[in-house]
Amino acid sequence: MRSRFSLGMLICITAAASGIAVGVFFIYTLILRSNYKKDALAINDAFRFHTTATLSRGDLSFPVQSADIEYYDMFLLNQDTVVFSRKAATETDATIRIDFGTERLSFTGIDDGSAIALCWKTPENEKHYMVRSQMTFSQLNAFFINCSRKAE
């Protein structure tokens, strides 16, 4: 009888711990998504506030009108973009950067390009997010190439 009571207690404790873990994960996910949406709207304001920007990748850099790079803003605000981490990624020569005066948004493809690391730098702080979306890094890069051709 005693072993059944101990086994029952163990099952209850395990169930309670699992419930707490799921709750903590759910709360973390909500906070992460809320912070991402808040920052995406702040970045959207930068797109709207600045009429010009500098688009760059590696050694290639050129000025653009903010309206010409709306595609990147749409990526941030896309309802299918899912944030899954705040981890920072190291920028590479393939990293796409958009400079708005003292503010910078960068996109770095990670894994096979299906995930994208975002970095939003302002004079006050730096925010990092890793996201997945229906738009891949290859599509963001193709848009960069189109913008560079247009700028020539």
Side-chain angles (χ1 to χ4, degrees):
M1 186 78 166
R2 195 175 239 287
S3 64
R4 286 187 186 185
F5 179 73
S6 297
L7 181 60
M9 289 296 289
L10 181 62
I11 290 171
C12 288
I13 291 171
T14 303
S18 297
I20 291 170
V22 167
V24 168
F25 177 75
F26 182 72
I27 290 169
Y28 170 78
T29 302
L30 285 177
I31 291 170
L32 183 63
R33 290 172 78 187
S34 295
N35 287 338
Y36 174 78
K37 290 293 183 185
K38 180 182 66 116
D39 290 334
L41 289 172
I43 296 167
N44 182 56
D45 288 344
F47 272 86
R48 303 283 178 242
F49 179 71
H50 298 284
T51 56
T52 60
T54 302
L55 188 59
S56 60
R57 185 188 71 203
D59 293 334
L60 181 59
S61 179
F62 50 91
V64 291
Q65 298 297 313
S66 62
D68 294 334
I69 54 173
E70 285 285 324
Y71 186 78
Y72 296 110
D73 191 29
M74 287 182 350
F75 172 84
L76 295 172
L77 300 173
N78 188 322
Q79 67 183 8
D80 296 321
T81 299
V82 178
V83 61
F84 64 91
S85 175
R86 293 197 96 166
K87 185 179 173 187
T90 305
E91 290 190 2
T92 66
D93 286 340
T95 297
I96 299 168
R97 293 176 299 282
I98 304 171
D99 289 291
F100 301 99
T102 59
E103 302 167 326
R104 172 183 278 181
L105 174 63
S106 63
F107 300 87
T108 304
I110 52 176
D111 298 332
D112 60 352
S114 63
I116 300 168
L118 302 173
C119 179
W120 174 242
K121 292 182 186 179
T122 65
E124 296 83 31
N125 59 32
E126 188 172 312
K127 305 279 180 94
H128 298 274
Y129 295 100
M130 289 195 179
V131 300
R132 291 193 194 282
S133 180
Q134 290 179 342
M135 293 184 219
T136 64
F137 185 75
S138 296
Q139 290 169 303
L140 296 178
N141 194 47
F143 188 78
F144 174 86
I145 292 167
N146 289 339
C147 287
S148 69
R149 288 180 184 150
K150 184 179 177 182
E152 290 177 346

